[in-house]
Amino acid sequence: MKELFYTLVFLIFFTRLSAQEFMLSSPNELIRVELHQPDEVTENWYFKVFYNESPSEKALIPKIEMGLARNDEGFSSNLKLRKTGKIKSISEAYNLIHGKRSSTSNAAREVTFYFRNDSGKKMNIVLRVYNDGVAFRYEFPDKEGNFSIDNEFTAFSISVDATRWLEKWNPANEGLYQQMQGDSLRGEWGYPALFHDRDTIGWYLIHEANLNRTYAGTKLSNTKDINTYNLVFPNPGDGRGTGKSKPDISTPWQSPWRVIIIGNLATVTESTLVTDVSDPVKLKDTDWIEPGLVSWNYWSSNHGTKDYQIVKKFADLAEKMGWKYTLLDWEWDAMGNGGNLEDATAYINKLGVKPLIWYNSGGDHTWVPATPKDRMLTHENRVQEFTKLNELDIAGIKVDFFESEKQNMINYYLDIVEDAADFNLLVYFHGSLVPRGWSRTYPNLMTYEAVRGAEWYNNVPTFTMNAPQHNTILPFTRNVVGPMDYTPVTFTNSQYPHVTSYGHELALGILFESGLQHLADRPEGYYSLPEEVITILKKLPAAWDDTKFIYGYPGKNAALARRKEESWYMAGISSELWEIEKEIALKFLKPGIEYQLKLVQDGEHDKAFKISDGKVTSEDTLKVKLLRRGGFIAVFEPIKSLTK
């Protein structure tokens, strides 16, 4: 009888191994990941991902193939599973100085799969299943030496029937997202990539996080198979051919996390999974880091910083509006018409505003000749320059034109951020990579461009008609994964005109999150607004305590509510070519509190507002009307408690 018992146990275990190696669910049981062995079609081990809200048994992602190739060994089709580790519970809470949520918590289950290749060399795969997604990464645990990674075989099998929102890869990450379904395009695609599988009702956003000095940035490519999105390394020509495309590693080693945010559209939009899996803060002192609004003269004046008188006008704007910062953009080293850099910083600081300053990242990796382009290149350069900036009471630096995500450039980004932190300098990047979670690790990194923002009204006439739809996609794609320096809230026109309403433009200051929020219009564009709107812009936060999805669909409309302390700010926009009306439940407000409402929506025409006041609670609904390509904002400030 005892022998029979052990035989049955062996058979059950063997059957389980033959069909399915392992299954791991999220703590809330909504997401399930299965590990499967290679089969006749698939050479590599693979994950299968299910979303349990689905009405069908179909997998949300039927196959995620895995594996790596080192310059000395392969770790893909030749892998044998040695053992599966014990399931661990992950429960974490942490704070962020800026972002969509100041106090963040997450829960996950984690397991490690221990593999060997034919030579007996070890590679582990660590899997975490969170309530809002999946993350996995590779490990080489042995202390063997130095290697290069020749290839990563991570690949997502995604049916062409899934609706997708993808941005064609470009080194500055400033393309337009395209909505595709059916005969979708082949190509290389930047992060993050959004997918909606109608059969399983699931939404998912593919990204990577905690990229560090030990790897290069990756992107997605379906050039070989239209249904398979492979992770690929940077192109050799990126950064004018400087740097190696394939990363060098030293073991023991861990890869960045491969992240898939999963759920309904609200789950995806509100997720903090990218920072959840990133390294905790490395700075000992963060009290000096202050998010804030910034006046910016480039959008309206192009060569504004070259003119001392224009610099003064934008400093005056920041002072009158109560904004913390003003930016001295390119050409500050050629400033004239009554003053130079020293005069400008003295004037700005006397007003109680803090100056920020622009730099070309420089070096042989960029084609852009704009100066100064030699101040960031080495540690010695940076120490010398940052010492001067401290003497001028300059609060932070904008560094531009990186044009590569090769490993050498990842190191360059992090060198700048770390050295700047030693001098209490804020940092933000333009012409850059998309956020990978660094703002948690280095909170002095305030924002990134990596978006086709309002600057493109200066660049091409086509952005005029692209912008409305593009703006409604960004809250569900690019801005999900980290701060986004779109430079919003522009009412007047720059090189090419708007077709969005004033209500639409006003809403972008709330809808788009950025630790340094550049409001890009010229001073008269703000001074001519109604007093109620000016008052809102004076008090507008640049960092939030909470964020809630209200409604939306990428490419059509979007509405979010964000909380700062006890006040809520809600904003919505539309790209539709007709007027729409929305009735919004105010359940995001704190129950038992009465709020003073200030509603600013589209008026009689696209350059007019309709402003109204009222008192509301969480049990009320709010009716809003948006013109075509329109928008609205609503501000809720607590008045009193309704409970005894």
Side-chain angles (χ1 to χ4, degrees):
M1 190 68 181
K2 188 175 182 181
E3 288 84 353
L4 178 60
F5 171 78
Y6 284 118
T7 301
L8 289 172
V9 170
F10 173 78
L11 288 173
I12 293 169
F13 184 67
F14 182 81
T15 303
R16 176 173 172 267
L17 279 179
S18 298
Q20 174 186 317
E21 293 300 338
F22 197 83
M23 185 273 289
L24 186 66
S25 294
S26 59
N28 63 8
E29 305 295 333
L30 291 181
I31 302 170
R32 183 173 87 253
V33 180
E34 297 174 355
L35 175 69
H36 288 262
Q37 299 183 66
D39 53 32
E40 297 82 8
V41 178
T42 306
E43 295 184 354
N44 299 358
W45 288 82
Y46 64 93
F47 289 133
K48 185 180 286 190
V49 180
F50 294 84
Y51 178 51
N52 291 346
E53 289 286 282
S54 168
S56 71
E57 288 299 315
K58 179 184 173 183
L60 180 66
I61 307 176
K63 193 169 289 183
I64 306 174
E65 295 189 52
M66 297 170 290
L68 296 169
R70 258 177 14 194
N71 62 318
D72 66 324
E73 299 273 354
F75 297 85
S76 55
S77 59
N78 59 346
L79 290 177
K80 304 293 186 296
L81 181 63
R82 296 189 297 120
K83 65 177 181 176
T84 299
K86 293 182 179 179
I87 297 174
K88 299 179 181 178
S89 292
I90 304 291
S91 181
E92 186 184 26
Y94 62 95
N95 296 322
L96 293 173
I97 295 175
H98 51 90
K100 68 177 74 171
R101 190 168 296 113
S102 59
S103 296
T104 300
S105 62
N106 59 76
R109 290 174 179 150
E110 178 187 283
V111 68
T112 300
F113 303 106
Y114 299 86
F115 292 96
R116 286 185 188 272
N117 67 7
D118 290 338
S119 302
K121 298 295 179 66
K122 298 175 184 177
M123 185 186 78
N124 305 334
I125 298 177
V126 182
L127 170 68
R128 287 184 183 177
V129 186
Y130 286 83
N131 288 335
D132 59 346
V134 173
F136 64 93
R137 68 180 175 188
Y138 303 99
E139 295 180 337
F140 289 127
D142 293 334
K143 297 180 181 178
E144 297 180 2
N146 302 316
F147 308 95
S148 66
I149 302 295
D150 287 343
N151 205 349
E152 179 172 337
F153 298 108
T154 304
F156 301 86
S157 294
I158 300 169
S159 168
V160 292
D161 293 331
T163 308
R164 63 208 63 213
W165 290 263
L166 303 175
E167 178 189 343
K168 280 264 187 185
W169 163 253
N170 64 94
N173 293 285
E174 292 183 38
L176 291 168
Y177 274 88
Q178 303 175 60
Q179 180 178 334
M180 295 176 286
Q181 189 178 14
D183 295 330
S184 58
L185 300 174
R186 296 175 186 264
E188 292 185 336
W189 311 97
Y191 292 124
L194 178 65
F195 302 86
H196 182 209
D197 188 307
R198 294 182 182 275
D199 290 341
T200 65
I201 72 169
W203 292 80
Y204 56 102
L205 190 78
I206 296 176
H207 195 46
E208 69 179 358
N210 210 38
L211 172 64
N212 56 37
R213 297 178 184 275
T214 69
Y215 216 60
T218 64
K219 56 183 179 290
L220 299 170
S221 173
N222 68 337
T223 55
K224 295 180 179 179
D225 179 352
I226 201 166
N227 295 317
T228 302
Y229 290 79
N230 296 83
L231 264 65
V232 295
F233 292 135
N235 300 333
D238 291 350
R240 295 182 67 190
T242 60
K244 295 171 56 179
S245 293
K246 298 175 181 179
D248 294 322
I249 68 167
S250 298
T251 55
W253 170 85
Q254 293 178 323
S255 76
W257 289 99
R258 281 63 194 92
V259 171
I260 316 158
I261 302 172
I262 297 170
N264 56 32
L265 197 53
T267 305
V268 172
T269 308
E270 296 173 12
S271 175
T272 57
L273 190 53
V274 172
T275 50
D276 291 347
V277 298
S278 296
D279 288 341
V281 59
K282 292 186 177 181
L283 308 186
K284 293 181 180 179
D285 174 26
T286 60
D287 291 343
W288 54 275
I289 299 172
E290 292 185 290
L293 303 186
V294 189
S295 66
W296 183 49
N297 64 45
Y298 172 79
W299 185 84
S300 59
S301 302
N302 288 301
H303 298 276
T305 309
K306 197 173 182 178
D307 189 319
Y308 176 65
Q309 302 306 322
I310 292 177
V311 168
K312 288 172 64 179
K313 288 180 180 179
F314 277 82
D316 293 341
L317 170 65
E319 189 270 334
K320 290 177 182 177
M321 297 295 287
W323 300 342
K324 281 190 172 70
Y325 304 102
T326 190
L327 171 64
L328 304 174
D329 214 303
W330 73 306
E331 297 185 315
W332 58 262
D333 55 339
M335 192 184 305
N337 193 19
N340 57 20
L341 175 65
E342 289 74 16
D343 299 318
T345 55
Y347 182 86
I348 294 165
N349 279 298
K350 187 176 180 180
L351 294 175
V353 178
K354 297 182 179 181
L356 307 169
I357 193 167
W358 176 95
Y359 289 91
N360 189 335
S361 64
D364 294 333
H365 61 268
T366 178
W367 296 95
V368 180
T371 60
K373 60 178 299 183
D374 59 350
R375 311 287 177 89
M376 298 290 116
L377 289 175
T378 68
H379 173 70
E380 291 73 24
N381 290 151
R382 293 188 292 273
V383 168
Q384 183 178 10
E385 191 69 8
F386 295 166
T387 300
K388 293 179 182 177
L389 298 188
N390 280 176
E391 293 170 355
L392 294 171
D393 287 327
I394 290 175
I397 56 172
K398 169 185 175 180
V399 189
D400 210 342
F401 304 125
F402 290 87
E403 301 181 31
S404 167
E405 296 184 15
K406 296 175 183 176
Q407 188 176 22
N408 69 315
M409 198 58 60
I410 301 305
N411 277 281
Y412 187 30
Y413 280 115
L414 296 176
D415 287 343
I416 291 172
V417 173
E418 290 180 351
D419 283 349
D422 290 340
F423 288 84
N424 286 10
L425 288 170
L426 309 177
V427 178
Y428 56 111
F429 296 127
H430 269 227
S432 70
L433 84 174
V434 171
R436 301 302 209 280
W438 294 347
S439 291
R440 177 184 178 187
T441 312
Y442 304 100
N444 65 314
L445 178 52
M446 307 300 289
T447 191
Y448 313 63
E449 185 183 29
V451 66
R452 181 162 291 203
E455 179 184 82
W456 279 80
Y457 284 111
N458 286 329
N459 297 344
V460 292
T462 54
F463 192 61
T464 291
M465 300 310 298
N466 292 148
Q469 186 178 65
H470 177 63
N471 293 347
T472 65
I473 295 173
L474 295 176
F476 309 118
T477 52
R478 165 63 181 85
N479 214 185
V480 171
V481 302
M484 181 178 77
D485 196 21
Y486 179 101
T487 63
V489 193
T490 53
F491 303 103
T492 65
N493 289 325
S494 185
Q495 186 76 18
Y496 300 104
H498 296 82
V499 292
T500 50
S501 75
Y502 274 26
H504 184 118
E505 291 300 312
L506 180 63
L508 299 183
I510 297 168
L511 202 64
F512 296 161
E513 179 270 313
S514 180
L516 292 174
Q517 186 76 287
H518 291 72
L519 302 193
D521 208 347
R522 48 183 56 84
E524 54 267 31
Y526 297 116
Y527 297 152
S528 63
L529 296 172
E531 189 60 39
E532 296 97 325
V533 176
I534 292 175
T535 299
I536 292 171
L537 290 176
K538 286 181 175 180
K539 299 169 62 177
L540 193 64
W544 304 97
D545 294 316
D546 200 4
T547 296
K548 295 291 184 183
F549 170 85
I550 303 301
Y551 68 80
Y553 189 89
K556 293 184 178 181
N557 48 63
L560 300 178
R562 301 189 190 271
R563 180 175 61 83
K564 183 63 175 179
E565 296 177 347
E566 299 304 315
S567 297
W568 283 90
Y569 295 73
M570 182 169 63
I573 60 171
S574 169
S575 68
E576 306 284 14
L577 300 181
W578 47 82
E579 295 181 2
I580 63 172
E581 293 185 357
K582 289 286 184 180
E583 189 167 315
I584 302 168
L586 303 180
K587 295 180 180 179
F588 59 87
L589 298 176
K590 188 175 181 180
I593 300 292
E594 186 177 40
Y595 291 83
Q596 179 67 50
L597 164 68
K598 177 75 71 175
L599 175 63
V600 183
Q601 56 187 320
D602 291 324
E604 293 182 358
H605 53 81
D606 62 357
K607 292 180 173 58
F609 294 111
K610 179 182 178 182
I611 303 171
S612 56
D613 298 281
K615 293 180 173 60
V616 295
T617 72
S618 63
E619 297 179 0
D620 291 322
T621 59
L622 184 65
K623 292 182 180 180
V624 295
K625 181 179 179 180
L626 294 80
L627 297 178
R628 63 175 186 167
R629 310 185 190 102
F632 74 92
I633 69 166
V635 181
F636 306 86
E637 296 184 327
I639 303 172
K640 61 181 178 179
S641 173
L642 300 178
T643 58
K644 294 181 179 180

